[in-house]
Amino acid sequence: MEKPEVKGTVTSLSSMFPAEEVQKAANRVAETLSEKQNEMNQLREFIADNTSLINLVQKLPEELHHDIMVPFGKAAFFPGRLIHTNEFLVLLGESYYVERTAKQTVEILKRRGKSLESKMDALEAFMQDLKAEASFFDSTASEAAEDLVEIKEEYEEENSTETESQSGELEQESPSFAEADNTMVASEDDEFAHIMSRLEALEKEELAAESYGENDEDQDTGAAVSDGDEDEDEQAKAVFHRKKYEGYSSLDHDQRYSEVYQSRKPLQQLKGKDSMNEETSSKYHHQDLISQLACTGLTVEPVIKGKMSHSQSMPQETKMLNPSINASVPFEKRVKFEAEHSSRNETSKSGFDSSKAFTGSIVEHTLNLEKASPGQTTSQFSGSQTSKPVSRFKMQRK
Amino acid sequence: MDSLNQAKIQKFEEFVDRRLKPDLVRAIAERDKVFEQQKIFSDLRKNIENLEQNSVTNLRTLVNLGSEVYMQAEVPDTQRIFLDIGLGFHVEFTWSEALKFISLREEKLERQIEEYTRLIASIKAQIKLVCEGIRELLQIPEEKTVEGRVF
């Protein structure tokens, strides 16, 4: 899938992370780690002392007096007895003492023990992080020593696969996510055209589809329509189908819903945006948008949705989606897009009646779906993206 | 000659930093420990004298059970006192015996302190010597004919 010409940049890891500095960083982390280890040992001692003291305090009231050697300074003892064996003078700090019975003292000590333990847990968590950091530094150091290189290539539409080996950096997003990002970085115009064409195609299909069983085919045809976009579409569809068969009926629904919706939104926006109602130009834009969306929205959304299936934290999804979109595309374009999204909510609303039919078709098309779920999913979905045109959608559905 | 001097100077400096200064620090730490002991015993002595003066027979104290949790304790008979004579032994004393012992102990401690003081002084002198040597080596190349500049 890679083009024969060298398009990307090759940077040696060792130049990015100079070996010495990595060593220094690793040493620093090791030092901090040992410090924390010492603190932890100290805490453990305190806790042990505390527990032994609790035992002692519990045992003492058993007798009226205890014969002991009473210390007198540091180097002398007096033989004597412990009296008032149920009365304890406890230091609370800041020279405040309280006289307590054995039971009350035990409670005080237990509370102290709890706070010590919580401190220890926090310290342990901190140490875990430090250890992770240390291991990361070590691996980076070894990799830098091995002369690993980082290869970056700009994404082009025809390529759906990217070669990006980022050994040192943590990939916090899913692979498709990253891919989508890289997609955006590459030639946006082409993608834009792609997306636009795709959107256009989808829209047409929806308009045409009054019956339920058409959507799938429409999607397929839509895929065929957008030229050169096969990989993305296949990917999107693959992801989509995968998700579909996951058995999350409502979520599949949601997915589908959101995916198509996502593709629809920019479509609507673009329609109103340039006042270019000529097929060709808008189509061009749509194409771009479609391809863009195919990468970000379509591929990402389902993935996100799949992830989200376990938690209802929809707002997160929005955030996840937005950064990917925003980060990948040249900011102006995307921002404009987003801005128009929100601004053109109302305008495009009126001009787009097929959404009704569209949603109907979606309902039907998901696998184990009942008609009741659309309402659910709508509310679910709309709840997530309040600022987006989803609300409009929701209104239409309701 | 200069490079040789430089090497010598480096050696001297290293010697000072690596051997003499840590030695000095250690000696001071040891002496501080002995000071502490001395203080403990002098406090004890003062207390015993106090008790004797006021003919205190009973004593009520608060005993630290650990982590600053105190309990009342009573000493019915203060005539006998157990003193730590070192090596983990505690010997029963009467007051007068205790006082005698304490004074003996204090003498011993004072002698120890003196020894440490002497050691510290010698280390400091060595450091000074080496520094002077370094200074000589440095200054001779600069001022070839200057003599007796120590004033």
Side-chain angles (χ1 to χ4, degrees):
Chain A
M1 279 289 204
E2 283 175 39
K3 297 208 164 163
E5 26 188 275
V6 175
K7 292 189 293 180
T9 57
V10 174
T11 50
S12 139
L13 249 194
S14 43
S15 69
M16 276 181 47
F17 304 109
E20 300 150 5
E21 293 200 4
V22 175
Q23 275 294 328
K24 277 191 223 159
N27 289 341
R28 256 181 282 134
V29 173
E31 272 175 31
T32 331
L33 204 63
S34 61
E35 271 178 37
K36 295 298 165 190
Q37 186 73 38
N38 289 340
E39 280 185 34
M40 198 119 115
N41 291 340
Q42 222 188 16
L43 272 182
R44 257 193 228 126
E45 271 182 42
F46 288 156
I47 291 180
D49 283 345
N50 207 34
T51 29
S52 62
L53 188 61
I54 288 177
N55 290 338
L56 181 67
V57 167
Q58 278 169 341
K59 227 176 23 142
L60 280 179
E62 286 170 18
E63 297 281 331
L64 271 180
H65 306 111
H66 289 273
D67 286 326
I68 58 161
M69 292 294 274
V70 182
F72 192 67
K74 289 230 173 132
F77 294 95
F78 277 116
R81 306 149 91 196
L82 275 180
I83 56 172
H84 296 205
T85 51
N86 204 29
E87 294 171 21
F88 294 86
L89 200 65
V90 188
L91 173 69
L92 299 180
E94 287 295 312
S95 308
Y96 275 95
Y97 288 85
V98 277
E99 275 230 27
R100 296 257 96 185
T101 68
K103 217 162 131 194
Q104 293 161 331
T105 313
V106 165
E107 282 169 20
I108 293 180
L109 291 176
K110 281 198 178 148
R111 283 194 288 269
R112 273 192 205 164
K114 257 190 226 157
S115 79
L116 281 176
E117 273 172 26
S118 69
K119 265 192 213 161
M120 220 174 85
D121 289 338
L123 207 59
E124 261 198 56
F126 188 65
M127 270 180 58
Q128 290 291 344
D129 290 342
L130 280 181
K131 277 185 193 154
E133 238 187 279
S135 67
F136 160 68
F137 279 132
D138 286 339
S139 64
T140 315
S142 60
E143 283 167 359
E146 289 170 16
D147 286 335
L148 266 185
V149 291
E150 178 178 334
I151 306 171
K152 272 192 181 155
E153 234 182 67
E154 283 199 356
Y155 177 77
E156 300 229 338
E157 248 178 59
E158 284 73 25
N159 295 348
S160 64
T161 54
E162 293 267 328
T163 35
E164 187 178 298
S165 64
Q166 292 186 331
S167 53
E169 290 152 32
L170 300 167
E171 285 282 290
Q172 293 183 357
E173 307 152 1
S174 64
S176 62
F177 217 86
E179 258 182 43
D181 281 348
N182 298 329
T183 313
M184 293 306 107
V185 177
S187 48
E188 308 99 19
D189 285 341
D190 289 342
E191 293 171 18
F192 201 61
H194 244 281
I195 291 182
M196 281 304 107
S197 67
R198 179 139 170 73
L199 280 172
E200 186 77 353
L202 284 172
E203 191 181 314
K204 280 187 193 161
E205 287 149 17
E206 286 165 18
L207 281 168
E210 294 287 4
S211 59
Y212 282 96
E214 277 183 36
N215 237 6
D216 218 3
E217 295 150 13
D218 291 343
Q219 290 262 336
D220 289 335
T221 52
V225 164
S226 51
D227 22 82
D229 210 4
E230 296 147 353
D231 292 336
E232 293 163 13
D233 286 340
E234 277 168 0
Q235 210 179 11
K237 258 198 274 109
V239 174
F240 179 79
H241 284 300
R242 226 185 310 130
K243 295 299 173 187
K244 220 164 139 183
Y245 296 132
E246 267 176 10
Y248 293 77
S249 58
S250 61
L251 286 160
D252 278 350
H253 184 69
D254 230 2
Q255 241 172 271
R256 227 10 230 285
Y257 184 96
S258 60
E259 170 181 314
V260 188
Y261 183 72
Q262 189 74 344
S263 56
R264 305 195 72 35
K265 278 184 292 179
L267 195 60
Q268 297 149 21
Q269 301 315 325
L270 286 161
K271 269 193 167 178
K273 152 170 124 178
D274 304 315
S275 72
M276 285 191 299
N277 292 324
E278 300 112 4
E279 292 281 70
T280 48
S281 47
S282 57
K283 197 161 193 169
Y284 181 81
H285 284 292
H286 289 180
Q287 282 250 321
D288 271 356
L289 210 48
I290 286 177
S291 55
Q292 270 185 337
L293 275 179
C295 312
T296 55
L298 295 178
T299 48
V300 172
E301 272 253 55
V303 173
I304 295 179
K305 282 291 187 175
K307 277 191 209 164
M308 302 296 290
S309 63
H310 303 286
S311 61
Q312 293 287 333
S313 50
M314 294 301 216
Q316 284 178 9
E317 172 209 359
T318 319
K319 285 185 200 141
M320 277 168 75
L321 195 47
N322 274 339
S324 81
I325 292 179
N326 287 331
S328 50
V329 179
F331 288 121
E332 326 159 14
K333 218 165 209 162
R334 220 33 177 167
V335 168
K336 238 198 267 175
F337 177 69
E338 297 288 287
E340 276 158 18
H341 247 235
S342 40
S343 62
R344 303 278 177 172
N345 254 349
E346 317 313 315
T347 55
S348 38
K349 169 185 174 178
S350 53
F352 193 71
D353 294 326
S354 52
S355 55
K356 282 189 195 139
F358 176 75
T359 53
S361 58
I362 285 186
V363 173
E364 188 59 4
H365 215 65
T366 341
L367 262 188
N368 8 319
L369 204 47
E370 299 132 11
K371 298 274 180 89
S373 31
Q376 259 183 324
T377 48
T378 322
S379 52
Q380 264 183 350
F381 190 77
S382 54
S384 67
Q385 300 175 330
T386 47
S387 62
K388 295 210 153 193
V390 179
S391 52
R392 169 183 58 82
F393 208 104
K394 168 173 125 186
M395 282 193 289
Q396 286 202 332
R397 277 195 74 88
K398 285 188 177 170
Chain B
M1 272 310 279
D2 258 358
S3 61
L4 236 130
N5 280 351
Q6 290 285 343
K8 268 197 215 167
I9 289 169
Q10 178 124 29
K11 250 174 61 180
F12 283 167
E13 280 186 10
E14 271 179 30
F15 182 60
V16 168
D17 283 334
R18 278 203 219 135
R19 291 260 338 256
L20 295 180
K21 285 208 179 135
D23 278 355
L24 187 65
V25 167
R26 250 177 284 146
I28 290 181
E30 296 285 316
R31 195 174 68 155
D32 286 344
K33 264 193 248 167
V34 184
F35 267 138
E36 261 186 56
Q37 284 272 23
Q38 200 191 33
K39 183 174 181 302
I40 289 173
F41 274 105
S42 85
D43 283 347
L44 191 57
R45 188 160 51 86
K46 282 192 202 129
N47 279 334
I48 293 179
E49 284 170 357
N50 227 349
L51 288 181
E52 238 182 327
Q53 272 175 15
N54 301 337
S55 338
V56 175
T57 46
N58 296 350
L59 201 53
R60 277 260 182 115
T61 64
L62 286 171
V63 180
N64 190 354
L65 300 177
S67 305
E68 306 293 321
V69 173
Y70 294 90
M71 187 175 247
Q72 285 185 47
E74 192 193 28
V75 181
D77 177 23
T78 58
Q79 290 297 326
R80 287 126 166 270
I81 187 166
F82 284 76
L83 283 185
D84 175 17
I85 58 172
L87 295 178
F89 282 95
H90 293 74
V91 176
E92 198 176 335
F93 286 101
T94 62
W95 278 351
S96 39
E97 288 170 354
L99 285 173
K100 263 191 247 161
F101 169 74
I102 288 175
S103 43
L104 279 174
R105 201 62 197 280
E106 280 186 326
E107 273 182 37
K108 179 172 172 281
L109 288 173
E110 266 201 49
R111 264 181 272 137
Q112 271 187 354
I113 287 177
E114 239 196 83
E115 250 190 64
Y116 273 117
T117 314
R118 251 184 272 134
L119 178 66
I120 287 171
S122 77
I123 293 178
K124 279 193 184 159
Q126 285 178 20
I127 291 177
K128 255 205 148 167
L129 191 67
V130 175
C131 283
E132 270 300 316
I134 294 175
R135 241 174 275 145
E136 270 192 30
L137 283 174
L138 281 174
Q139 290 192 2
I140 282 182
E142 294 173 11
E143 306 166 20
K144 289 184 187 169
T145 54
V146 173
E147 289 178 1
R149 56 182 147 62
V150 184
F151 292 101

